[in-house]
Amino acid sequence: MTAVASSPPSSVTPGTLGTDLQDSPAVRAAIEAIVSEVRARSARLTDVRGPRSELKAGYEEAMQRAAGVRGRGLLYPYLGSGLGHGALVELMDGSVKWDMISGIGVHFFGHSDPDLIAAAVRGAMSDTAMSGNLQSNDDHYAFGADLLRLAKRSSRLAHVYSSTSGAMANENGLKVCYQKHAPASRVIAFKDCFMGRTVTMSQIGDAAANRVGIPLSTLVDYMPFYDPVAAERMGRTKYIDMCVWHLTQYIERYPKQHACFIFELVQGEGGFNTAPREYFKALMDVCRAHSIAIWDDEIQTFGRTGTMFAYERLDLGDYVDVLCVGKMTQVCATLFTEAYNPGPGLLSGTFTGSGSTFAVGRRVLERLERGRDGQSYYGDNGLIERNHRSFVEQVRALAARHPEWFPMQTRWGPLPDIVGGTGGMMRLSPFGGDKEKINKACRHLFDEHVIVFYCGHGPYHLRMLPPLGVFNEQDWPRVFECVERGLARTAQG
Ligand SMILES: Cc1ncc(COP(=O)(O)O)c(C=O)c1O
């Protein structure tokens, strides 16, 4: 069991009344009392279960209210009760499900984690709920310093600015690139990329459905993301040369007009697509030669690949000029090298985060670095890669039992494999990646008590971002019992 963070954080200045409050034995005891109440109830959630009949009507009402507030029905009939246990989460109708998507990658340490609750409560004692650029406490900079220390292990990143969403971290990243390379105003991005939903990010993101009605004012040139089937067919070197040629064409067509190239080293929404180092390196070398900023969007990958930063696994840290993280860090952030440190006024904002998110974010970073029960999360034999291998085994066993669910041909061409992704970004591709069937499968799996989501733009995949910080590897067969029941319902139509 992880020790609970009921002790005060080290960043508090000694000798103030604020320190005195943080050090108070009464506060510590109160936090421990809260955590033990959480623990006692959380421990009672030990398996999935259906809704409780006496809670169904109230749940329906709450769902309707949520839909009214939102202006449309929710994608999933999901309203949490506020309690869970590791990868298990209780909903307001009393049902309990495996959460294999964790808020699209946010809750790496699952639900009702006692240590993170203690950190959140302690952070919530801050004099104000929110911090901003003008006035904040030291917790804001302590979080940034922790993140920088980890990022600097294998990159030239030197500074960090925090924000409250991944899209905003990306906006800040883009501004930093534009300012450094002014008046260059074009952006290079990969086909199928996703960057968030501000006006600019939804223009760069390669999904027409996400920008209906948005005027197009950002100049974007799209590069193909690595295609393993084409690379195999043409030969990898020839394929990479072709992509470099493609990039060079843009640069010759618009000389000195590109401010940056945005890289997702593993595409998230785009389908958990991976690429080898040589592919990225070849493109990054061209960027370097032409003074185009290399911007690495790790908002979905951070923490989840076989290394803490995806650039570490690919040994590309030296190339990165600008980096964005979010989701599991709780606080989103834009990091940049000394050369990209912008002038005053470019990065600011009313909110940078809250006391609770800084405290939980710091604790998340600390635990990612420390590992679990003496085992590292990272490396080939780390918990993340081991879980990935168990996931792959489960998918292959499922496909062996039901080969008809896993055709290799899709209407977009052959699949490279029925299972893919990397580390804690896991995908499986049943039903030829058909959009409608994948959507139905998500819903059927939900009804069979496992929460997943889809990714890709064709073929479509089922995606999992499991809470690997707390997930027990031996539970994969239990999760896949639910997956099998759900897919059987989809297959039956
Ligand atoms: C790669 C990537 N960039 C940016 C974002 C946007 O983050 P947010 O939803 O916090 O604005 C996401 C979110 O899914 C993402 O996956």
Side-chain angles (χ1 to χ4, degrees), residues 189-489:
F190 282 118
K191 177 183 182 307
D192 294 329
C193 71
F194 181 82
M195 307 200 60
R197 292 177 200 264
T198 56
V199 170
T200 305
M201 293 307 141
S202 41
Q203 289 179 65
I204 301 175
D206 189 21
N210 292 350
R211 54 177 131 80
V212 174
I214 304 291
L216 298 182
S217 53
T218 303
L219 302 169
V220 193
D221 295 313
Y222 290 97
M223 284 290 297
F225 195 80
Y226 187 76
D227 177 346
V229 177
E232 168 90 24
R233 199 174 50 229
M234 289 176 66
R236 191 186 269 194
T237 311
K238 262 198 181 155
Y239 175 80
I240 294 177
D241 287 349
M242 186 193 70
C243 295
V244 166
W245 171 83
H246 193 134
L247 177 59
T248 312
Q249 292 283 300
Y250 283 135
I251 296 171
E252 286 172 0
R253 188 168 299 131
Y254 305 111
K256 298 196 189 323
Q257 291 182 44
H258 292 103
C260 55
F261 188 155
I262 302 138
F263 290 80
E264 260 176 286
L265 298 177
V266 181
Q267 288 196 307
E269 307 302 298
F272 282 7
N273 306 314
T274 57
R277 175 174 198 274
E278 310 134 71
Y279 182 66
F280 291 128
K281 182 180 178 308
L283 300 179
M284 289 178 177
D285 279 333
V286 176
C287 290
R288 262 200 176 167
H290 291 88
S291 261
I292 296 170
I294 295 167
W295 163 7
D296 177 13
D297 178 349
E298 296 227 14
I299 288 165
Q300 194 154 154
T301 53
F302 174 80
R304 284 200 171 266
T305 63
T307 49
M308 191 181 290
F309 296 87
Y311 66 69
E312 291 174 313
R313 190 175 60 91
L314 295 162
D315 188 19
L316 293 169
D318 189 56
Y319 283 94
V320 178
D321 297 307
V322 175
L323 173 89
C324 293
V325 296
K327 293 191 184 276
M328 89 164 66
T329 49
Q330 314 294 303
V331 183
C332 302
T334 311
L335 295 84
F336 36 87
T337 61
E338 199 60 64
Y340 280 79
N341 195 0
L346 196 77
L347 304 185
S348 186
T350 305
F351 293 146
T352 47
S354 70
S356 287
T357 53
F358 293 130
V360 176
R362 292 190 73 193
R363 201 65 189 166
V364 164
L365 297 179
E366 193 184 322
R367 284 172 64 181
L368 289 178
E369 191 180 17
R370 194 181 61 217
R372 179 183 178 193
D373 301 331
Q375 298 181 75
S376 174
Y377 286 114
Y378 302 111
D380 283 349
N381 245 335
L383 288 165
I384 290 180
E385 290 298 0
R386 286 215 329 251
N387 272 287
H388 190 88
R389 289 194 284 272
S390 299
F391 162 80
V392 171
E393 263 173 39
Q394 290 295 322
V395 178
R396 299 232 184 275
L398 182 69
R401 290 195 293 280
H402 305 282
E404 70 286 5
W405 296 355
F406 289 92
M408 290 301 291
Q409 269 305 327
T410 77
R411 69 184 181 82
W412 299 271
L415 282 172
D417 201 341
I418 55 165
V419 59
T422 183
M425 305 174 78
M426 303 165 172
R427 80 174 193 204
L428 66 156
S429 316
F431 310 123
D434 178 79
K435 183 177 185 180
E436 202 181 316
K437 283 199 173 147
I438 292 292
N439 276 335
K440 280 191 180 150
C442 286
R443 187 55 198 253
H444 288 143
L445 265 63
F446 187 90
D447 292 342
E448 291 296 341
H449 315 309
V450 56
I451 311 173
V452 302
F453 200 39
Y454 69 88
C455 62
H457 294 164
Y460 295 81
H461 317 275
L462 290 177
R463 94 166 120 162
M464 294 191 187
L465 292 162
L468 293 184
V470 289
F471 188 69
N472 295 319
E473 216 178 319
Q474 64 271 24
D475 284 336
W476 278 111
R478 294 170 72 197
V479 171
F480 268 78
E481 276 172 28
C482 303
V483 171
E484 189 164 3
R485 285 199 305 271
L487 294 185
R489 287 170 67 168

